[in-house]
Amino acid sequence: MSTAVVRAEIERFIQSSAPEVLCISGQWGVGKTYSWQTFLKEAERVGRVGLSRYAYVSLFGLTSLGELRNAIVENTVNKGSSSVPDASSLHEIIRKGETFARKSRPALEIAAGFFRMKDAGDALYREAFLTVRNQLICFDDLERAGKALEMRDILGLTSMLREQRHCKVVLLLNKEQTKPEEAKELQRQLEKVVDTFLLFEPTSAEAAAIAIVGTDPVAEKLRDRLVALGVTNMRVMKKIERWARLIETEVVGVETEVVEQAVVTVVLAGWCFLQPDLAPGLDFVREFNSTTGLFRREDEPEERKKWREILSKYGYRTTDELDAAIIDGVAIGYFRGDDLRAAAQALGERLKRNRRKDSFSLAWELFHSSLTTDDDVILDAMVAGAMENLGEISPVNMNSGVRFLRRYGREAQASELVVKYIDANRSKPDFFSKWNRFFHDDPVDEELLAAMEAERTAIVDARDPAEMLKQMARTSGYNPDEDSARLSRLTADELVQLFDGNAADDVKGMMEWADRLASHPGALGMRASLDEALARIAARSPMRADRLRSWGVLPANEKPDGPDADPAASEDAAADAAAVTAAANNDVPTENDGGEEKPK
C-alpha cells in the first residue's frame, strides 16, 4: 500500500470524531510510529484533529490490563493532541476522575467493595480511567506486550473504548512477529474489532521523504543516497541522519564536495553497520577500491561480486583517510573530531589543487565508458596521465594503473612508472611507512611492491634502537616483524653500549622488551647477541647478575663469566638467585641460615 494512501487514510481518521478502530501493520523499523506521530503533529498544527485529548501507549513490557489502563491515564494529554504528558497533565486527569467519582459515589463504593481495592493510588487511577472517553488513543508495540497480557484482552479493551467510551483507537503492530500458532487467532480477533486495516510498506523514496526532513544540502544528499541503497527502515535512516549531522558540525567550513563525500560514506557505513544481514561488512567497504580486483573477479566468491557491484553502482570508488575516519566512527559508536577535521581539511586541499579532473582519472573514465576508443589511445592516456600526476596518485590507484599497463603489454612503461613514482614521493613524511594500509588482500604489482618495501625498510632501519625500546616499555605497543628485524642487526657490543648509555630507570624495561623480541621468529641472530650482551653485563659483579635474574632476563642457573667476571664472586650465587629475586620483587620475606629475616 502506497504511503500516499496510508497518509490520506490516517489524516481522515485523525480529523474525524466518530469512534472507530484503525490498525496499521508493518515490519519493525519501517516507520509506523514515526509516520503516525508525524502525520498527527501536522494535523494538529493546522487545527484538524477531531478530538481534544490524546494518549500514546507502548505495550512493550506491560503485563496486565490494569497496567494498560493506568498507562492510558498517565499518558493522556488535554492541551494539544501531541503534547508530552507530565505531572501536570496527570494531576488534571486524576482531579477530573475524583470529580466524576463524587457524582457516582454509591456505584463506586459498591465496585470498590467488590474488587477489594485497598490501595488509594489504585482507586485514584480507576477513578481517572472513568474519564477516558471521547479521546484519541494509540496502542503501539502490540506484539511486544508481556506474556500475561494476551492479545484478546487488549482488543477487548479496544472494543470497549470504542463502543462505550466513544474513543478512536489506532493499533500499531507487526503481525509478522506473532507466533505462527497465534497468527490465525490474531487475525480473527482483529477482524472483529478493527474497522480499517492499513499495511505500511513504504518504498525507499517514500520512507526517506518522511524520515529526512529539510531542504539543506545534507538532507538532500541523505535522501538521495538512502534511496540509492534501497533503505526502507526509518529507524536506520534516523540513526544515519544523526551521524551525518554530527559529522557536519565537525567539518564545518570545508569544501562542499568534502561534506558531500562524508554523507555518501556515512550512509554506506551506517547501512552496513545497522543492517548487516542486507549489506556487506564494514571491512569490505574499508578495503574496497573500484579498480583493484579488476582482473581477478572470476575468482571472487559470488557474494563479494554482488557487494562489489552494489558499491560500484552506488558510486563508491575507494576509501581515503576521511572515509576511514567515518567508518571507524560508525564501528566504535563515536567520531574522533580531530581525525575527522584533519582528514576533511587534507581532502579539501587536494580538491582545490585538482579542481579540474586530472588526466589519470580521465584515462580511467575513457577505459570504463568507451568502446569506440582504440586500445593504444587508452594506454597512452594512462601512461601520460600517471606521469603528470605522480605526486597525487595514491599507492592503491598507482598499483591499478601499473597492473593495467602490464596486462596489455606495456611492461617497459609500467616499470619506468614505478621508478618515477618512488622518486616523486620519497620526500613525503610517512608515505612509505603507511603505504599498504588500504591494500589488504588485493594483489600488488611485484616491482611496485619491492620498491615500496625497500623504501619502507630504509625508514625502519633508520630508527634509533634505544628510542624504540623505550617507546615499547612506555606503551606496550610494538610491531614484532619490523622491530625484531631492526634490533637483530645489532651486535653484542652495540647492545652493551645501548644498555650502558641509558638511565637506570629505562634500562630494565628496555632489557625486558629486547628479551621478548629476541624470542620472535623474525629475530634471527638477536637471541645470541642479546644473551652475550647480558652475560657480559652480569659478569661485572654478582650484584649485577642477581639484578638481571630478578628482572627475568638472565637465567637463574647461569653463572657470569667473561673478561669482566669477579673472581671473588660467590660460587653459590645461583642458589641465592631465587631469594634475591623474591626480595627484589617485594615477595614474602626469606630467612637466612641463622633464622633472621633478611632486609627487603
Side-chain angles (χ1 to χ4, degrees):
M1 188 176 292
S2 73
T3 304
V5 173
V6 173
R7 175 189 281 269
E9 184 58 29
I10 291 176
E11 288 175 348
R12 181 206 61 78
F13 178 83
I14 293 172
Q15 292 174 22
S16 168
S17 61
E20 59 181 317
V21 177
L22 170 65
C23 178
I24 304 175
S25 178
Q27 295 182 351
W28 285 342
V30 296
K32 300 183 299 294
T33 304
Y34 182 82
S35 297
W36 162 260
Q37 292 175 344
T38 299
F39 299 157
L40 179 60
K41 288 178 181 178
E42 290 176 359
E44 181 189 6
R45 190 163 51 247
V46 296
R48 292 183 179 177
V49 181
L51 297 173
S52 61
R53 297 207 301 175
Y54 170 66
Y56 169 82
V57 180
S58 171
L59 276 70
F60 185 39
L62 298 185
T63 58
S64 70
L65 274 178
E67 289 185 3
L68 178 54
R69 286 192 294 264
N70 291 350
I72 296 173
V73 171
E74 292 172 355
N75 290 281
T76 293
V77 290
N78 296 302
K79 297 177 181 179
S81 56
S82 62
S83 302
V84 178
D86 55 19
S88 176
S89 62
L90 177 59
H91 173 74
E92 184 175 351
I93 191 172
I94 288 177
R95 183 175 55 80
K96 287 183 178 179
E98 290 175 330
T99 302
F100 185 89
R102 281 195 296 271
K103 294 179 180 179
S104 305
R105 179 63 62 187
L108 285 175
E109 289 175 352
I110 294 172
F114 179 78
F115 290 109
R116 297 180 181 179
M117 293 186 301
K118 297 180 180 179
D119 183 80
D122 187 37
L124 287 174
Y125 270 89
R126 284 182 175 272
E127 290 176 353
F129 184 71
L130 293 173
T131 70
V132 175
R133 56 189 66 237
N134 299 309
Q135 79 176 62
L136 181 60
I137 301 171
C138 176
F139 287 157
D140 198 359
D141 299 317
L142 270 71
E143 72 283 357
R144 298 204 288 175
K147 293 182 180 180
L149 181 56
E150 296 186 4
M151 188 67 70
R152 72 178 72 181
D153 296 328
I154 300 169
L155 296 179
L157 179 62
T158 299
S159 180
M160 184 274 287
L161 289 169
R162 177 190 60 187
E163 300 296 336
Q164 300 178 25
R165 303 292 184 84
H166 305 288
C167 292
K168 299 180 73 67
V169 183
V170 58
L171 309 174
L172 306 181
L173 76 158
N174 180 2
K175 289 195 293 183
E176 294 183 4
Q177 292 301 315
T178 57
K179 297 177 181 178
E181 61 272 17
E182 298 176 355
K184 290 184 178 180
E185 176 64 18
L186 171 61
Q187 185 61 32
R188 190 173 67 84
Q189 295 290 340
L190 286 172
E191 289 173 353
K192 290 181 179 180
V193 176
V194 175
D195 299 299
T196 304
F197 288 92
L198 296 177
L199 178 61
F200 192 62
E201 45 182 5
T203 65
S204 181
E206 290 171 336
I210 296 171
I212 311 298
V213 297
T215 57
D216 61 286
V218 170
E220 296 282 2
K221 196 69 175 180
L222 277 170
R223 285 192 290 267
D224 175 71
R225 293 296 82 199
L226 288 165
V227 172
L229 289 175
V231 180
T232 59
N233 190 309
M234 289 193 199
R235 188 173 294 120
V236 169
M237 289 181 175
K238 296 303 293 183
K239 288 184 178 180
I240 291 175
E241 181 187 24
R242 176 178 173 273
W243 286 333
R245 295 301 184 182
L246 287 173
I247 294 171
E248 182 185 22
T249 61
E250 292 290 352
V251 300
V252 63
V254 300
E255 299 284 304
T256 301
E257 293 93 330
V258 176
V259 179
E260 289 182 350
Q261 177 177 320
V263 173
V264 169
T265 303
V266 77
V267 170
L268 178 60
W271 176 57
C272 295
F273 181 76
L274 297 170
Q275 295 192 290
D277 294 337
L278 303 176
L282 287 176
D283 286 340
F284 182 88
V285 178
R286 191 180 282 110
E287 300 168 12
F288 182 78
N289 185 291
S290 61
T291 58
T292 60
L294 190 63
F295 309 120
R296 61 170 188 145
R297 292 183 184 175
E298 293 180 0
D299 302 330
E300 278 190 318
E302 287 301 318
E303 187 176 54
R304 287 181 67 88
K305 288 183 180 179
K306 181 180 73 172
W307 297 142
R308 183 180 292 279
E309 183 179 355
I310 288 175
L311 264 63
S312 295
K313 287 182 178 179
Y314 179 71
Y316 192 81
R317 298 303 179 196
T318 186
T319 297
D320 61 19
E321 288 83 353
L322 177 60
D323 302 319
I326 292 172
I327 293 170
D328 290 344
V330 169
I332 64 178
Y334 65 93
F335 299 101
R336 297 184 176 95
D338 291 343
D339 292 348
L340 275 177
R341 287 188 293 273
Q345 290 169 2
L347 177 58
E349 291 300 319
R350 286 202 303 272
L351 290 173
K352 288 177 182 178
R353 292 195 301 268
N354 302 325
R355 189 58 66 188
R356 60 178 180 82
K357 283 191 174 180
D358 64 78
S359 50
F360 184 67
S361 299
L362 292 173
W364 276 113
E365 287 188 10
L366 196 61
F367 166 73
H368 284 295
S369 60
S370 175
L371 290 175
T372 60
T373 307
D374 187 73
D375 290 358
D376 284 336
V377 173
I378 295 176
L379 291 167
D380 289 342
M382 188 71 68
V383 173
M387 290 295 187
E388 291 172 4
N389 297 277
L390 291 170
E392 302 299 328
I393 301 174
S394 70
V396 174
N397 289 335
M398 179 55 71
N399 176 59
S400 298
V402 170
R403 294 184 65 233
F404 182 87
L405 292 173
R406 293 197 196 282
R407 179 178 177 82
Y408 297 109
R410 300 290 185 96
E411 288 284 347
Q413 289 177 312
S415 297
E416 180 186 7
L417 186 57
V418 169
V419 173
K420 292 187 177 296
Y421 184 64
I422 298 298
D423 290 341
N425 292 284
R426 185 171 282 120
S427 62
K428 293 182 179 179
D430 297 329
F431 184 82
F432 296 101
S433 62
K434 299 179 179 179
W435 71 274
N436 60 345
R437 60 179 166 177
F438 296 127
F439 272 105
H440 300 277
D441 61 343
D442 289 315
V444 183
D445 179 78
E446 292 183 1
E447 285 188 23
L448 178 63
L449 175 63
M452 298 287 282
E453 278 295 298
E455 296 295 327
R456 188 174 67 85
T457 301
I459 294 172
V460 170
D461 287 348
R463 292 179 299 167
D464 177 48
E467 289 304 316
M468 287 171 56
L469 290 171
K470 290 177 185 177
Q471 181 68 15
M472 292 177 206
R474 284 194 296 267
T475 66
S476 298
Y478 69 109
N479 184 315
D481 294 324
E482 291 184 357
D483 295 343
S484 60
R486 171 67 183 99
L487 295 174
S488 291
R489 294 177 175 81
L490 299 177
T491 65
D493 289 339
E494 290 172 326
L495 285 168
V496 170
Q497 293 174 8
L498 185 151
F499 295 137
D500 284 348
N502 284 275
D505 291 343
D506 294 324
V507 170
K508 179 177 181 290
M510 292 169 66
M511 287 184 173
E512 289 174 342
W513 277 95
D515 184 65
R516 180 179 299 187
L517 282 172
S519 302
H520 189 266
L524 301 176
M526 183 179 176
R527 179 80 272 166
S529 298
L530 180 63
D531 287 347
E532 181 181 344
L534 293 172
R536 289 185 189 178
I537 295 172
R540 294 173 181 171
S541 71
M543 186 179 294
R544 287 186 176 85
D546 289 340
R547 200 176 310 160
L548 294 182
R549 291 190 187 96
S550 73
W551 291 353
V553 297
L554 190 72
N557 59 355
E558 182 173 326
K559 295 182 179 181
D561 54 15
D564 296 328
D566 187 343
S570 172
E571 293 182 357
D572 62 346
D576 290 341
V580 175
T581 299
N585 290 330
N586 292 322
D587 289 340
V588 296
T590 58
E591 295 184 355
N592 59 19
D593 293 339
E596 297 178 355
E597 184 178 299
K598 291 184 178 180
K600 295 182 181 179

